[in-house]
Amino acid sequence: MPGSARTMAVCTVSCLVVATAYTVALGGNGWVWFAWVVLALTTAGMVAARRA
Protein backbone atom coordinates (compact mmCIF):
# COMPACT_ATOMS: atom_id res chain seq x y z
CA MET A 1 0.00 0.00 0.00
CA PRO A 2 1.50 3.37 -0.99
CA GLY A 3 2.23 6.00 1.65
CA SER A 4 -0.82 8.18 1.03
CA ALA A 5 -3.21 5.22 1.11
CA ARG A 6 -1.58 3.94 4.30
CA THR A 7 -1.94 7.37 5.90
CA MET A 8 -5.60 7.50 4.91
CA ALA A 9 -6.17 4.01 6.36
CA VAL A 10 -4.55 5.02 9.66
CA CYS A 11 -6.71 8.16 9.74
CA THR A 12 -9.83 6.09 9.09
CA VAL A 13 -9.06 3.69 11.94
CA SER A 14 -8.22 6.59 14.24
CA CYS A 15 -11.51 8.28 13.38
CA LEU A 16 -13.34 5.03 14.13
CA VAL A 17 -11.85 5.04 17.62
CA VAL A 18 -12.82 8.71 18.09
CA ALA A 19 -16.37 8.13 16.82
CA THR A 20 -16.78 5.15 19.13
CA ALA A 21 -15.47 7.10 22.12
CA TYR A 22 -17.79 10.01 21.25
CA THR A 23 -20.77 7.67 21.07
CA VAL A 24 -19.92 6.04 24.39
CA ALA A 25 -19.30 9.36 26.15
CA LEU A 26 -22.01 11.59 24.69
CA GLY A 27 -24.49 9.26 23.01
CA GLY A 28 -25.06 8.37 19.40
CA ASN A 29 -24.94 10.97 16.67
CA GLY A 30 -25.88 9.94 13.15
CA TRP A 31 -23.75 12.63 11.52
CA VAL A 32 -20.59 11.36 13.21
CA TRP A 33 -21.18 7.87 11.86
CA PHE A 34 -22.24 9.16 8.45
CA ALA A 35 -18.98 11.12 8.20
CA TRP A 36 -17.00 8.05 9.24
CA VAL A 37 -18.74 5.87 6.62
CA VAL A 38 -17.96 8.44 3.92
CA LEU A 39 -14.31 8.47 5.05
CA ALA A 40 -14.18 4.66 5.08
CA LEU A 41 -15.67 4.41 1.58
CA THR A 42 -13.24 7.02 0.30
CA THR A 43 -10.34 5.10 1.82
CA ALA A 44 -11.56 1.82 0.34
CA GLY A 45 -11.88 3.45 -3.07
CA MET A 46 -8.41 4.92 -2.82
CA VAL A 47 -6.87 1.58 -1.87
CA ALA A 48 -8.76 -0.20 -4.66
CA ALA A 49 -7.65 2.37 -7.21
CA ARG A 50 -4.02 1.98 -6.14
CA ARG A 51 -4.17 -1.80 -6.55
CA ALA A 52 -5.73 -1.67 -10.02
Side-chain angles (χ1 to χ4, degrees):
M1 190 177 337
S4 59
R6 183 181 315 249
T7 302
M8 190 113 175
V10 169
C11 181
T12 301
V13 172
S14 300
C15 287
L16 174 62
V17 171
V18 169
T20 303
Y22 179 90
T23 299
V24 169
L26 301 175
N29 184 340
W31 286 109
V32 171
W33 289 104
F34 176 75
W36 185 82
V37 168
V38 169
L39 178 62
L41 290 174
T42 303
T43 301
M46 186 175 181
V47 170
R50 296 284 181 173
R51 289 187 181 182

